[in-house]
Amino acid sequence: GIKECDWSSDVCSSDLYAWNPWGSSLISLAEGEHRSGRIIALQKGALVTGYIKDPNGAPLSGIEYKWEGRMCEGGGDTDVNGFYQIRLPLGTYAIAPDNDDFGALQPIVTITDINQPIDVNDITAYSEQTSGQISGDVNNPGGYAKTGEFSVVVFEAGTVIDTNTWYTTSPVRMTGMEDAGPFAITALPPNANYDVYLIVISENPDEIESITLWDYQLNITVGVNDVNLYY
C-alpha cells in the first residue's frame, strides 16, 4: 500500500517517516504485480517541535527552515505562530532557517528514542536590521589567477569540522565574491564570536565541486571591520 505524505512538513499522515537512502524514486505496482529490489522502509520518527522567532520574541511566520542529518535532509515553513514540527529517525540533526535574509545559531538535535518527543529551544533569527556585522577585505596582492569563486564563510567560533560531524555543520552566514575586494557579513547573531574562512569554490566540466581553504581568522567579535584574508 501507499501512505500519503506531506513532504513540505516531513510529516506523514500515518505518523511514519520515510527515508530512502537511494533516492526519491516511486514505483507503482499494478494489482497482482510483483517486483523485487530496493525497499523503502517506513519507520516512526521522534516528533521534534519548536519555534523560530525574531530577537524581540515575536514569531516569524512562513519562514523556511531546513534540517540536515547524515545522508538525509529536508525542510518546510513555519506556521503563523512561527511553529514547526518534523519527525526524525535516530541520528543527529541541525535545524536552521533556510532564508538568505536571516542568520541564526543552529540547535543540534540528537534522536536516541523515537518514542520520546523533543521540544527544541527557540531559534532566534536575526535580519540585517537586528543583527551584527563583520567586514574586511579579501586581498590578492600578487594578482594571482584563480578558477572559481571566492567565498567568505562564517561559523560560530570553535566549530569543529570533521568527517564524523560535517552533516550537522553549516555556516551561520556566507557570501560569494567573484574577485578580491571588500566584504561584509551581515545578519549575524550579535551574542556570539565567529571563525571567518576564505575559500575558493570551483567546479570542473563534470560538475564535480571542489572547495579549497586559503586563509582564516578565528574568534572574531561582531562589529570588527578590519578582517584581512589573503589569497
Side-chain angles (χ1 to χ4, degrees):
I2 295 177
K3 298 291 185 181
E4 291 185 2
C5 294
D6 176 9
W7 297 111
S8 64
S9 65
D10 300 312
V11 178
C12 295
S13 59
S14 62
D15 282 342
L16 296 176
Y17 178 91
W19 176 33
N20 175 12
W22 301 287
S24 58
S25 300
L26 178 66
I27 297 174
S28 297
L29 301 180
E31 184 176 354
E33 181 182 0
H34 171 77
R35 188 178 299 181
S36 62
R38 295 170 177 165
I39 296 174
I40 299 176
L42 292 177
Q43 57 182 325
K44 184 177 181 180
L47 182 62
V48 177
T49 57
Y51 292 86
I52 301 178
K53 300 180 178 181
D54 71 15
N56 295 318
L60 288 172
S61 170
I63 185 174
E64 293 184 9
Y65 65 88
K66 62 181 179 180
W67 57 265
E68 294 181 280
R70 188 177 183 86
M71 295 181 66
C72 58
E73 61 185 25
D77 301 318
T78 59
D79 68 10
V80 294
N81 298 310
F83 177 77
Y84 64 87
Q85 66 173 15
I86 50 183
R87 285 195 178 272
L88 297 175
L90 301 178
T92 301
Y93 305 87
I95 303 172
D98 190 15
N99 187 307
D100 290 339
D101 294 330
F102 294 96
L105 303 180
Q106 305 172 26
I108 305 298
V109 176
T110 299
I111 309 297
T112 58
D113 180 357
I114 59 173
N115 297 308
Q116 181 65 45
I118 293 180
D119 185 18
V120 182
N121 291 336
D122 292 349
I123 298 174
T124 302
Y126 291 84
S127 67
E128 186 173 342
Q129 291 73 34
T130 61
S131 68
Q133 173 180 299
I134 291 173
S135 60
D137 287 279
V138 172
N139 301 281
N140 184 6
Y144 298 108
K146 65 172 173 58
T147 300
E149 181 184 64
F150 285 126
S151 186
V152 179
V153 183
V154 177
F155 292 91
E156 187 176 4
T159 298
V160 176
I161 304 170
D162 63 34
T163 55
N164 295 314
T165 60
W166 61 267
Y167 49 88
T168 58
T169 306
S170 297
V172 178
R173 299 287 289 170
M174 63 186 299
T175 185
M177 304 171 63
E178 290 294 335
D179 298 299
F183 70 87
I185 304 288
T186 61
L188 288 172
N191 54 344
N193 287 3
Y194 298 94
D195 296 337
V196 184
Y197 296 87
L198 172 65
I199 62 176
V200 174
I201 302 176
S202 57
E203 189 175 274
N204 70 14
D206 295 324
E207 298 184 350
I208 298 175
E209 189 176 73
S210 66
I211 299 175
T212 306
L213 170 66
W214 285 97
D215 196 12
Y216 58 87
Q217 288 197 33
L218 304 179
N219 202 29
I220 303 298
T221 304
V222 166
V224 171
N225 59 13
D226 59 353
V227 176
N228 286 297
L229 302 168
Y230 289 88
Y231 175 68

